[in-house]
């Protein structure tokens, strides 16, 4: 299974740099069996019913991108920081640019009184100790930080105040992600209320999406690719809802690849799941045996990406090639701020 098997031509103009408004106005490609229908996210409630369970990722994106300065003997230099994850001591691993020009022990000053001391470095990342913690840290970060937009958007424009709303889901609760679970960005209260009125069930799980989600696959044999690790949790309530849905013959439909990867990690047997907490580096590519997933709502993914491999595992490689050809021909908008798809094997 070669990396080139997951390549396709994507016109530059189809890469979305802003979402549509309102969120539910996004287009939605519905692929079921051999059929493809062109619909909208606002149609979702008409496609689902009381036997369906949507699994939502309730992670909350932090404004993890910071711009600060380092002062050395009166010489001031700009430093860019993207927070990745906290450790048990409260320090943060981070992408620091330029890492080699910030010495251990030096302090980087940001807006809102936020400062970070460089504690060390490993694997091309810095380890930062901040001068604030708890609610004070959260408040300063909210003021000083920017949303960590995907590289292909950040290369076209800087993040702004609008992204703090646009790049956060309607049901975000638990802080910790440095990338949004983008399939969920299409949901607003109108869509959620329509689904509830149809009797559609919901289960919430948490997977803190990491910056590794944007890392390219660098091996030709994709089966040798090593996935990044992300923290996730399936609580007892979510597990019970998923088990009950499978027991009655209903459909479990993750919203986004993050929710799918998490529940498939926590699956204990075909059609069964137990509460689970930990780090997952599950890699799903064609040949994977899905234990819980009956369908998937997801955006359109990068060529040669692990996410394209995941949807190919669910739908079949040839089928996904046809779906993406259709999406490009019909000018669907791609990637994080793009349109949606509902994939039903």
């Amino acid at each position: 299974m070669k990396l080139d098997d997951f390549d396709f031509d994507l016109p530059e103009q189809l890469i979305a740099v802003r979402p549509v408004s309102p969120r539910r106005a996004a287009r939605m490609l519905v692929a079921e069996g051999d059929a493809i229908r062109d619909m909208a996210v606002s149609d979702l409630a008409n496609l689902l019913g009381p036997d369906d369970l949507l699994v939502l990722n309730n992670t909350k994106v932090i404004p993890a991108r910071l711009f600060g300065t380092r002062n050395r003997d009166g010489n001031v230099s700009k430093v860019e920081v993207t927070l990745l994850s906290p450790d048990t001591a409260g320090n943060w691993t981070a992408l620091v640019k330029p890492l080699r020009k910030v010495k251990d022990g030096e302090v980087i000053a940001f807006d809102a009184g936020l400062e970070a001391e460089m504690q060390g470095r490993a694997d091309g990342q810095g380890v930062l100790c901040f001068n604030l913690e708890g609610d004070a840290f959260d408040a300063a970060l909210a003021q000083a930080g920017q949303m960590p937009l995907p590289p292909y958007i950040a290369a076209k424009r800087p993040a702004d105040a609008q992204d703090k709303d646009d790049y956060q889901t309607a049901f975000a609760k638990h802080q910790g992600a440095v990338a949004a679970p983008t399939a969920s960005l299409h949901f607003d209260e109108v869509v959620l209320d329509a689904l509830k009125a149809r009797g559609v069930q919901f289960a919430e799980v948490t997977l803190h999406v990491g910056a590794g989600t944007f890392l390219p696959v660098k091996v030709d044999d994709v089966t040798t690719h090593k996935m990044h690790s992300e923290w996730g949790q399936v609580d007892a309530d979510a597990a019970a809802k998923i088990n009950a849905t499978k027991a009655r013959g209903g459909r479990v439909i993750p919203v986004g690849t993050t929710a799918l990867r998490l529940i498939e990690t926590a699956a204990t047997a075909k059609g069964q799941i137990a509460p689970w907490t930990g780090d997952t580096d599950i890699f799903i590519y064609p040949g994977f045996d899905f234990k819980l997933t009956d369908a998937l709502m997801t955006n359109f993914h990068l060529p040669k990406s692990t996410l394209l491999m995941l949807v190919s595992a669910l739908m079949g490689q040839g089928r996904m090639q046809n779906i993406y050809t259709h999406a490009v021909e019909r000018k669907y908008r791609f990637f994080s701020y793009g349109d949606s798809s509902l994939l039903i094997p």
Side-chain angles (χ1 to χ4, degrees):
M1 198 178 308
K2 301 301 183 182
L3 185 58
D4 284 343
D5 295 337
F6 301 94
D7 197 11
F8 64 94
D9 292 324
L10 180 67
E12 181 80 10
Q13 64 267 27
L14 296 187
I15 299 174
V17 296
R18 294 277 187 190
V20 298
S21 181
R23 296 178 178 219
R24 62 186 178 278
R27 298 167 69 197
M28 183 172 68
L29 182 155
V30 180
E32 184 171 9
D34 291 328
I36 295 177
R37 288 181 285 172
D38 299 307
M39 306 184 76
V41 173
S42 56
D43 298 317
L44 185 60
N46 298 325
L47 301 171
L48 305 179
D51 287 331
D52 294 316
L53 176 76
L54 289 177
V55 183
L56 310 177
N57 183 3
N58 63 16
T59 188
K60 189 172 186 178
V61 183
I62 62 173
R65 199 169 184 206
L66 293 160
F67 296 89
T69 55
R70 180 266 294 156
N71 189 328
R72 183 187 300 163
D73 300 326
N75 295 314
V76 178
S77 299
K78 294 180 180 180
V79 181
E80 178 184 331
V81 169
T82 301
L83 302 181
L84 297 178
S85 61
D87 61 22
T88 54
N91 297 326
W92 282 81
T93 58
L95 300 176
V96 179
K97 297 180 183 179
L99 180 62
R100 61 185 178 83
K101 292 189 177 180
V102 183
K103 296 180 179 179
D104 290 357
E106 286 192 317
V107 172
I108 306 168
F110 308 101
D111 289 341
L114 192 63
E115 296 180 346
E117 181 180 310
M118 178 72 81
Q119 297 286 299
R121 61 205 71 211
D123 300 323
Q125 300 169 0
V127 179
L128 302 177
C129 177
F130 283 88
N131 63 325
L132 302 174
E133 58 185 23
D135 291 342
F137 173 79
D138 292 343
L141 186 63
Q143 185 175 338
Q146 294 183 3
M147 281 304 203
L149 294 181
Y152 44 80
I153 295 178
K156 294 175 180 291
R157 66 168 182 86
D160 55 29
Q162 186 60 43
D163 291 303
K164 290 195 174 183
D165 290 325
D166 288 344
Y167 204 57
Q168 199 75 269
T169 71
F171 34 79
K173 291 180 181 176
H174 304 298
Q175 287 202 135
V178 295
T182 55
S184 300
L185 295 178
H186 299 295
F187 286 73
D188 57 17
E189 291 304 322
V190 174
V191 170
L192 292 169
D193 288 345
L195 290 165
K196 292 171 185 174
R198 286 278 291 176
V200 177
Q201 305 295 305
F202 297 89
E204 293 189 13
V205 298
T206 306
L207 183 81
H208 290 327
V209 192
T213 191
F214 304 118
L215 292 177
V217 178
K218 296 182 178 180
V219 293
D220 186 46
D221 178 359
V222 301
T223 63
T224 63
H225 174 70
K226 174 65 175 174
M227 285 288 286
H228 58 285
S229 181
E230 296 166 317
W231 183 91
Q233 182 175 65
V234 179
D235 65 18
D237 181 66
K241 288 179 178 177
I242 293 170
N243 285 331
T245 300
K246 299 300 286 188
R248 67 171 181 267
R251 295 186 299 182
V252 172
I253 306 172
V255 176
T257 57
T258 59
L260 184 153
R261 291 177 63 243
L262 179 57
I263 66 171
E264 292 294 339
T265 296
T268 56
K270 197 75 173 179
Q272 296 182 347
I273 188 172
W276 186 91
T277 301
D279 294 315
T280 178
D281 60 359
I282 188 172
F283 180 23
I284 297 176
Y285 54 87
F288 183 82
D289 179 23
F290 291 90
K291 294 181 170 60
L292 297 168
T293 302
D294 296 299
L296 171 68
M297 186 173 175
T298 187
N299 285 20
F300 295 96
H301 304 296
L302 284 163
K304 298 184 177 182
S305 65
T306 59
L307 302 182
L308 183 54
M309 295 170 198
L310 183 154
V311 293
S312 297
L314 182 68
M315 300 295 287
Q317 277 179 268
R319 182 71 175 124
M320 281 311 305
Q321 288 171 355
N322 292 338
I323 290 168
Y324 271 50
T325 297
H326 178 97
V328 170
E329 289 176 348
R330 298 299 176 92
K331 294 182 168 50
Y332 277 80
R333 301 164 76 249
F334 274 67
F335 308 155
S336 294
Y337 273 156
D339 292 316
S340 183
S341 67
L342 179 63
L343 306 177
I344 307 171

